[in-house]
Amino acid sequence: MKKRNLRWSIAAAVVLVLGLLLAACGGSDNNESSGSQKAPKNTELADKQELHFVRKADLPTVDLTMATDTTSSEVIQRTHPGLITFKNNEMVPEMAAKMPKISEDGTVYTFKIRENATWSNGDPLTASDFVFAWQRLVDPDTASQYAYIMGVANVKNAEKIMNQDSPLYGKVEKLGVKAIDEKTFQVTLESPIPYFTSLMSFNKFGPLNEEFVKKQGDNYAKEPKNLLTVGPYKLTKWDHGVGWTLEKNKDYYAADEVNITKATFKVVKEKNTQLSLYQSDEIQVDALSAEQVDAYKNKPDFQNVAGNCMFWWELNAEKVPEFKYKKVRKAMSLVINREGLTSVLLNNGSIPADYVVPKDFVEGPAGKAFREGQDPYLQGGVEKAKKLWKEAKKEHGFNKLEITYLSTDGDLAAQAAEFMANQLEQLEGMKVNIKKLPWNAYLEHVNAGNHELDGASGWCPDYKDPMTFLGYWHSDGPNDANGIEREKYDKLIEKARNLAKQQKEQERWKVLQKAEKVLVENAIAIPTYQKGSAMIVKPYVEGIAFQNFGIEQYFREAKVYKH
């Protein structure tokens, strides 16, 4: 990225899902979002407790400091969990023995590390492993695109260490973290923030074994042999471009809870090929395309699930100067038939979105959801879009605009790109060229700022707070300004941050809602939909929990029955 134009977190983190990849976030046998699938009829366990999956893109990296995509994050969360995790949709301690002790003023968090937590080479997990990992993340020499998250966490001196104009620039030893003793890790914040504990589940806050990382040098995390594990799984095979394998880590502190001993992931881009693998029992879980839903929606292995990931367009006014004009951007936003996109093309439980903070994501201090009571931001549809477009052309002196719509090369992403190009070309004089790239090439292209319209962008939450989405669009956040003026929006986000420090939650909530309105009505962000998934799971598999935060497909305690 030019600054930090990240492709999806996961925390969860956010946060990029392979163009238009459909991922699971909940499900039940009545097609409503909930826990896991119906138990199988056969009660005798299979000899091998193994699961097999497909993914639409290769694994870019397993270095937790450098990863910026959901594919990498999924593996890292299974091999390198942090202090906190989400297990069956509940926040629980992971590498921490218990939830943190918090000082009265809310600025000091003290974590006790589990006594029986060890690395896969036998070394004990220590508080120093967290100190090293956090300092590595924020170190300017590391050049992590996710270094900013340490500032989001409000860790003392993080922003100053990353600021070239600060006397603390690069002095990672000044970061507000320390090992009180071998098993006591303490974090000091600049000021209290309401979401710090949930942020600790995000993979960027995991530990690293300093001696091992330094010994590996540039080879660290390049292959399974160059990686240590502290979580429930080890990466044991990585056939670049083809797939990877995770196997149970017998040294994991809760290894007795890990029932699935092996999970394989094969890179398959075509939806029909994925379904064929499912039908032949070569994989046990699949996400259906729109055309495949009708054949499965009444079968017992079908689950229609909702999620918290948001998709949107990102416009680069540094490449297309016309994108600087509000009426141009808003016309492009209004012309989208979001209902047609979700109900016809996706057909998987995704819903149209004229917002960036998802529905049913988090409640505010008054117990109300963020979206509750808010009017739609985008009204007027195609006719208003055409009116604004005509006005923009006259005001700014252009008759035609030719742009490149960037997407990934999966089959659904290609269909969506065609759909969106047709939508945009309803604006007279607009011509849209589609450019499709493989996942890794797409990431490199966008990160270098070479895109004009990035149509495959989105974000999954890193922590349970609206700021995980709204902070993304601040000029110094993950989405660089890309030449689009956003001073009013930036000021609102900064005000909300200050209110968080003052612990004025009700006021902060209102400011965040106002900020979202400015963001969408000025088309700084052009949201398209909130992700849903049409999933199928083999009836002989029990206990895969589809989570809307943390690891989306939580399978370690699942069971495979004879079939």
Side-chain angles (χ1 to χ4, degrees):
M1 327 189 166
K2 290 177 298 170
K3 188 182 283 186
R4 290 181 296 268
N5 194 354
L6 304 181
R7 309 295 92 194
W8 291 107
S9 151
I10 135 71
V14 103
V15 326
L16 184 58
V17 182
L18 315 183
L20 291 170
L21 172 62
L22 308 180
C25 291
S28 68
D29 45 323
N30 64 354
N31 294 348
E32 297 293 334
S33 261
S34 73
S36 55
Q37 75 279 4
K38 182 186 285 187
K41 294 180 180 179
N42 194 335
T43 58
E44 188 177 357
L45 290 175
D47 294 335
K48 293 184 178 180
Q49 293 299 296
E50 299 178 1
L51 291 173
H52 307 279
F53 303 87
V54 290
R55 294 292 181 260
K56 294 186 70 173
D58 192 17
L59 179 60
T61 181
V62 286
D63 184 339
L64 69 84
T65 307
M66 307 308 291
T68 64
D69 67 290
T70 50
T71 310
S72 301
S73 295
E74 178 188 12
V75 173
I76 291 166
Q77 287 182 99
R78 301 189 198 279
T79 59
H80 268 76
L83 296 159
I84 303 295
T85 193
F86 277 78
K87 177 180 177 180
N88 294 319
N89 289 299
E90 292 187 10
M91 185 167 66
V92 296
E94 176 61 296
M95 292 299 106
K98 55 186 177 181
M99 300 304 277
K101 179 181 178 182
I102 307 172
S103 63
E104 288 187 12
D105 66 357
T107 63
V108 180
Y109 284 68
T110 304
F111 295 89
K112 284 290 185 181
I113 309 301
R114 290 186 184 275
E115 292 291 338
N116 55 345
T118 62
W119 291 99
S120 51
N121 66 350
D123 289 351
L125 177 69
T126 68
S128 295
D129 294 327
F130 286 91
V131 172
F132 169 69
W134 290 29
Q135 289 179 345
R136 182 177 186 252
L137 177 67
V138 81
D139 190 342
D141 289 340
T142 304
S144 170
Q145 296 171 354
Y146 243 116
Y148 83 95
I149 200 69
M150 201 64 71
V152 171
N154 212 23
V155 178
K156 187 176 180 179
N157 293 331
E159 294 285 1
K160 295 173 184 175
I161 293 167
M162 295 183 285
N163 184 352
Q164 290 184 347
D165 298 326
S166 168
L168 292 184
Y169 178 69
K171 296 181 178 179
V172 298
E173 70 278 4
K174 298 295 185 180
L175 188 66
V177 294
K178 60 181 178 180
I180 303 296
D181 56 40
E182 189 177 74
K183 292 290 185 178
T184 308
F185 176 59
Q186 190 172 87
V187 185
T188 301
L189 308 184
E190 295 280 359
S191 54
I193 56 170
Y195 46 79
F196 182 80
T197 301
S198 75
L199 188 53
M200 292 301 96
S201 67
F202 186 42
N203 64 78
K204 290 296 168 287
F205 296 97
L208 289 172
N209 185 304
E210 181 175 5
E211 182 180 355
F212 183 84
V213 171
K214 289 183 175 179
K215 184 177 180 180
Q216 297 300 311
D218 292 341
N219 289 324
Y220 175 69
K222 293 292 177 63
E223 299 292 342
K225 67 180 180 180
N226 308 122
L227 185 71
L228 285 186
T229 293
V230 74
Y233 288 97
K234 298 180 182 180
L235 179 67
T236 57
K237 183 179 180 181
W238 185 3
D239 190 355
H240 296 265
V242 178
W244 57 94
T245 300
L246 298 177
E247 295 189 48
K248 180 177 176 177
N249 176 16
K250 295 179 181 178
D251 296 320
Y252 177 57
Y253 78 89
D256 58 337
E257 297 178 3
V258 181
N259 189 64
I260 298 300
T261 59
K262 183 177 181 180
T264 66
F265 299 81
K266 185 176 182 179
V267 178
V268 180
K269 295 179 180 180
E270 298 77 19
K271 294 302 298 178
N272 288 337
T273 305
Q274 292 178 8
L275 184 58
S276 295
L277 291 172
Y278 179 84
Q279 291 170 336
S280 62
D281 272 357
E282 292 181 61
I283 62 174
Q284 286 75 45
V285 181
D286 191 25
L288 297 172
S289 67
E291 310 85 64
Q292 297 166 344
V293 168
D294 288 345
Y296 277 88
K297 64 183 180 181
N298 294 319
K299 293 186 177 181
D301 42 356
F302 179 81
Q303 300 177 60
N304 202 208
V305 300
N308 286 331
C309 297
M310 297 297 301
F311 287 85
W312 44 54
W313 291 348
E314 293 187 14
L315 308 183
N316 188 351
E318 293 174 356
K319 292 290 185 181
V320 184
E322 289 83 357
F323 288 165
K324 294 180 180 179
Y325 309 134
K326 173 184 172 181
K327 288 184 178 179
V328 169
R329 300 192 306 269
K330 192 157 186 179
M332 293 171 66
S333 184
L334 284 167
V335 81
I336 304 170
N337 180 355
R338 292 169 172 83
E339 182 62 42
L341 171 70
T342 55
S343 63
V344 180
L345 182 61
L346 300 180
N347 189 29
N348 63 352
S350 295
I351 57 177
D354 67 346
Y355 50 83
V356 297
V357 179
K359 292 182 177 178
D360 302 321
F361 171 52
V362 66
E363 293 183 348
K368 294 183 179 180
F370 188 85
R371 305 243 57 80
E372 189 173 337
Q374 292 179 274
D375 295 326
Y377 295 135
L378 298 173
Q379 301 188 53
V382 176
E383 292 308 311
K384 185 174 181 181
K386 290 180 177 179
K387 180 176 181 293
L388 289 171
W389 182 251
K390 185 176 181 180
E391 292 173 358
K393 290 195 296 182
K394 183 177 180 181
E395 291 172 11
H396 302 293
F398 69 94
N399 291 317
K400 297 180 180 179
L401 182 60
E402 184 171 352
I403 65 172
T404 298
Y405 185 108
L406 180 67
S407 184
T408 54
D409 62 349
D411 50 2
L412 181 59
Q415 293 173 37
E418 292 287 349
F419 177 89
M420 292 302 199
N422 290 334
Q423 297 293 295
L424 286 170
E425 289 182 348
Q426 295 177 87
L427 302 173
E428 186 177 0
M430 171 75 84
K431 178 174 173 54
V432 181
N433 302 308
I434 297 172
K435 183 174 185 176
K436 296 178 288 185
L437 293 174
W439 180 237
N440 287 349
Y442 160 80
L443 287 176
E444 292 174 3
H445 195 78
V446 175
N447 292 346
N450 292 329
H451 63 290
E452 294 182 356
L453 188 162
D454 173 12
S457 189
W459 195 253
C460 295
D462 293 337
Y463 50 97
K464 285 208 165 188
D465 190 87
M467 190 64 84
T468 189
F469 291 97
L470 296 174
Y472 178 94
W473 292 95
H474 188 277
S475 293
D476 66 0
N479 172 262
D480 195 348
N482 289 333
I484 297 174
E485 193 280 323
R486 59 187 78 182
E487 183 178 0
K488 183 178 180 181
Y489 179 76
D490 285 352
K491 287 181 177 178
L492 287 168
I493 293 300
E494 288 155 12
K495 183 177 180 180
R497 288 171 176 168
N498 287 328
L499 288 169
K501 295 173 184 178
Q502 299 167 34
Q503 301 189 62
K504 295 180 179 179
E505 274 302 285
Q506 291 189 0
E507 292 179 47
R508 185 181 80 99
W509 206 255
K510 292 177 182 178
V511 171
L512 289 174
Q513 290 175 325
K514 185 176 181 180
E516 185 189 51
K517 184 176 182 180
V518 169
L519 181 68
V520 177
E521 290 189 345
N522 287 279
I524 299 168
I526 299 181
T528 54
Y529 72 96
Q530 180 175 340
K531 185 194 73 174
S533 302
M535 300 298 300
I536 46 177
V537 181
K538 286 294 182 180
Y540 57 78
V541 177
E542 176 188 18
I544 296 180
F546 298 107
Q547 304 189 132
N548 60 12
F549 196 79
I551 302 174
E552 288 188 332
Q553 297 178 13
Y554 182 88
F555 60 67
R556 77 187 203 192
E557 297 168 34
K559 295 178 180 179
V560 182
Y561 292 85
K562 287 187 175 180
H563 52 281

